[in-house]
Amino acid sequence: MTAARLPRLPLGLGLAGLLPFLALAGSAWLAPLAWQLVAIPAFLYYSAVILSFLGGVQWGVAMSLEPDDSAGFRRRLALSMAPSLIAWPALLLHPATGAWVLIAGFLVVRLHECGRTSRELLPTWYQSLRTLLTVVVVACHGLLIWRLAGG
């Protein structure tokens, strides 16, 4: 397998994870108004779950790839909690503000994943996959924010 080739299973699962983002962002624009009122909070809830999941990935990396007595282990374990601590309060805010907070969370996680130690510990294909997924997720949030602004 070449460094740039994504394994089929992670790619398929990652793309499947985008389906609720795409369907709910589309519903916020195209569905009847009553369904839009359900789609918007459902989008935000799903987003918060996925952002929290990304923290779990970092927890797993710390537990399996970092020496447990290292500063990297302690730092990655502490940082693994940040996505959940960003996601949950975002749900308590106005939907547009919450969507912005969630975007920030996805971007912070992605920046962390692009750091030197993450690049060293994670497979090359993971970086490519996460970039693709983050671009689509942020774009969907942008569509939702635009809709909430009266677009």
Coordinates of all heavy atoms in Angstrom, one line a residue, residues 1 4 19 21 24 36 48 58 60 62 66 83 98-99 103 108-110 113 115 117 124-127 131 144 150:
M1 N 0.8 -1.2 0.0 CA 0.0 0.0 0.0 C 0.9 1.2 0.0 O 1.8 1.3 0.8 CB -0.9 0.0 1.2 CG -1.6 1.2 1.5 SD -2.8 1.2 2.9 CE -2.3 0.0 3.9
A4 N -0.1 7.3 0.1 CA -1.2 8.2 -0.2 C -2.5 7.4 -0.3 O -3.6 8.0 -0.3 CB -1.0 9.0 -1.5
L19 N -22.6 11.2 6.0 CA -24.0 11.2 5.5 C -24.9 12.0 6.4 O -25.7 12.8 5.9 CB -24.4 9.8 5.3 CG -23.8 9.0 4.2 CD1 -24.3 7.5 4.1 CD2 -23.9 9.7 2.9
F21 N -24.2 14.6 8.3 CA -23.9 16.0 8.1 C -24.5 16.5 6.8 O -25.2 17.5 6.8 CB -22.4 16.2 8.0 CG -21.7 16.2 9.4 CD1 -20.8 15.1 9.7 CD2 -21.9 17.2 10.3 CE1 -20.1 15.1 10.9 CE2 -21.2 17.1 11.5 CZ -20.4 16.1 11.8
L24 N -28.5 16.3 6.9 CA -29.1 17.3 7.8 C -28.9 18.7 7.4 O -29.8 19.6 7.5 CB -28.6 17.1 9.3 CG -29.1 15.8 9.9 CD1 -28.4 15.5 11.2 CD2 -30.6 15.8 10.2
Q36 N -37.2 21.2 9.1 CA -36.0 22.0 9.3 C -35.8 22.3 10.8 O -34.7 22.3 11.3 CB -36.1 23.4 8.6 CG -36.0 23.3 7.1 CD -36.2 24.6 6.4 OE1 -35.8 25.7 7.0 NE2 -36.8 24.6 5.2
A48 N -21.7 17.4 17.7 CA -21.1 17.3 19.0 C -20.6 15.9 19.3 O -19.5 15.7 19.9 CB -22.1 17.8 20.1
Q58 N -7.9 10.5 20.2 CA -6.6 10.9 20.8 C -6.4 10.2 22.1 O -5.2 9.9 22.4 CB -6.7 12.4 21.0 CG -6.7 13.2 19.8 CD -5.6 12.9 18.8 OE1 -4.4 12.8 19.3 NE2 -5.9 12.7 17.6
G60 N -7.2 7.1 22.6 CA -6.7 5.8 22.2 C -5.2 5.9 21.7 O -4.4 4.9 22.0
A62 N -3.0 8.0 22.8 CA -2.2 8.1 24.0 C -2.0 6.8 24.7 O -0.9 6.4 25.1 CB -2.8 9.1 25.0
E66 N 1.8 6.1 23.0 CA 2.7 7.0 23.8 C 3.1 6.2 25.0 O 2.3 5.5 25.7 CB 1.9 8.2 24.3 CG 1.4 9.1 23.2 CD 2.4 10.2 22.8 OE1 3.6 10.1 23.2 OE2 2.0 11.1 22.1
P83 N -12.1 18.1 23.0 CA -13.3 18.1 22.1 C -14.6 17.9 22.8 O -15.6 18.6 22.5 CB -13.0 16.9 21.2 CG -11.5 16.8 21.2 CD -11.1 17.1 22.6
G98 N -23.4 28.1 18.4 CA -22.9 26.7 18.7 C -22.3 26.1 17.5 O -21.2 25.4 17.6
A99 N -22.8 26.4 16.3 CA -22.2 25.8 15.0 C -20.8 26.4 14.9 O -19.8 25.7 14.5 CB -23.0 26.1 13.8
I103 N -17.3 24.3 14.7 CA -16.3 24.5 13.7 C -14.9 24.7 14.3 O -13.9 24.1 13.9 CB -16.6 25.7 12.7 CG1 -17.7 25.3 11.8 CG2 -15.4 26.1 11.9 CD1 -18.2 26.5 11.0
V108 N -9.5 22.9 15.6 CA -8.4 22.7 16.7 C -7.9 21.3 16.7 O -6.7 21.0 16.8 CB -9.0 23.2 18.1 CG1 -8.1 22.7 19.2 CG2 -9.1 24.7 18.1
V109 N -8.9 20.3 16.6 CA -8.5 18.9 16.6 C -7.6 18.6 15.3 O -6.6 18.0 15.4 CB -9.7 18.0 16.6 CG1 -9.3 16.6 16.3 CG2 -10.4 18.1 17.9
R110 N -8.0 19.2 14.2 CA -7.3 18.9 13.0 C -5.9 19.5 13.1 O -4.9 18.9 12.6 CB -8.0 19.5 11.8 CG -7.4 19.1 10.4 CD -7.5 17.6 10.2 NE -6.5 17.2 9.2 CZ -5.5 16.4 9.4 NH1 -5.4 15.8 10.6 NH2 -4.7 16.1 8.5
E113 N -3.8 17.2 15.1 CA -3.5 16.0 14.3 C -2.4 16.3 13.3 O -1.7 15.4 12.9 CB -4.7 15.5 13.6 CG -5.8 14.9 14.5 CD -7.1 14.6 13.7 OE1 -7.3 15.3 12.7 OE2 -7.8 13.8 14.2
G115 N 0.2 18.2 13.9 CA 1.4 18.4 14.6 C 2.4 17.3 14.4 O 2.1 16.2 14.0
T117 N 4.2 15.3 16.4 CA 4.0 14.0 17.1 C 2.9 13.2 16.5 O 3.0 12.0 16.4 CB 3.9 14.2 18.6 OG1 2.8 15.1 18.9 CG2 5.2 14.6 19.2
T124 N 0.0 7.7 7.6 CA -0.1 8.7 6.6 C -1.6 8.8 6.0 O -2.1 9.9 5.8 CB 0.9 8.5 5.4 OG1 2.2 8.4 6.0 CG2 0.8 9.6 4.4
W125 N -2.2 7.7 5.8 CA -3.5 7.7 5.2 C -4.5 8.4 6.2 O -5.5 9.0 5.7 CB -4.0 6.3 4.9 CG -4.1 5.3 6.0 CD1 -3.2 4.3 6.3 CD2 -5.2 5.2 7.0 NE1 -3.6 3.6 7.4 CE2 -4.8 4.1 7.9 CE3 -6.4 5.9 7.2 CZ2 -5.6 3.8 8.9 CZ3 -7.2 5.5 8.2 CH2 -6.8 4.5 9.1
Y126 N -4.3 8.3 7.5 CA -5.2 8.9 8.5 C -5.2 10.4 8.3 O -6.2 11.0 8.3 CB -4.7 8.6 9.9 CG -5.6 9.2 11.0 CD1 -6.8 8.6 11.3 CD2 -5.3 10.4 11.6 CE1 -7.6 9.1 12.3 CE2 -6.1 10.9 12.6 CZ -7.3 10.3 12.9 OH -8.1 10.9 13.9
Q127 N -4.0 11.0 8.0 CA -3.9 12.4 7.8 C -4.8 12.8 6.5 O -5.5 13.8 6.6 CB -2.5 12.9 7.6 CG -1.6 12.7 8.8 CD -2.0 13.6 10.0 OE1 -2.7 14.6 9.8 NE2 -1.6 13.2 11.1
T131 N -8.2 15.1 6.8 CA -8.3 16.4 6.0 C -9.6 16.4 5.2 O -10.4 17.4 5.3 CB -7.1 16.6 5.2 OG1 -6.0 16.7 6.0 CG2 -7.2 17.9 4.3
L144 N -25.1 25.4 7.3 CA -26.0 25.5 8.3 C -26.0 26.9 8.9 O -27.1 27.5 9.1 CB -25.8 24.5 9.5 CG -26.8 24.5 10.6 CD1 -28.1 23.8 10.1 CD2 -26.2 23.9 11.8
G150 N -30.5 33.3 7.6 CA -31.6 33.7 6.7 C -31.3 33.5 5.3 O -32.0 34.0 4.4

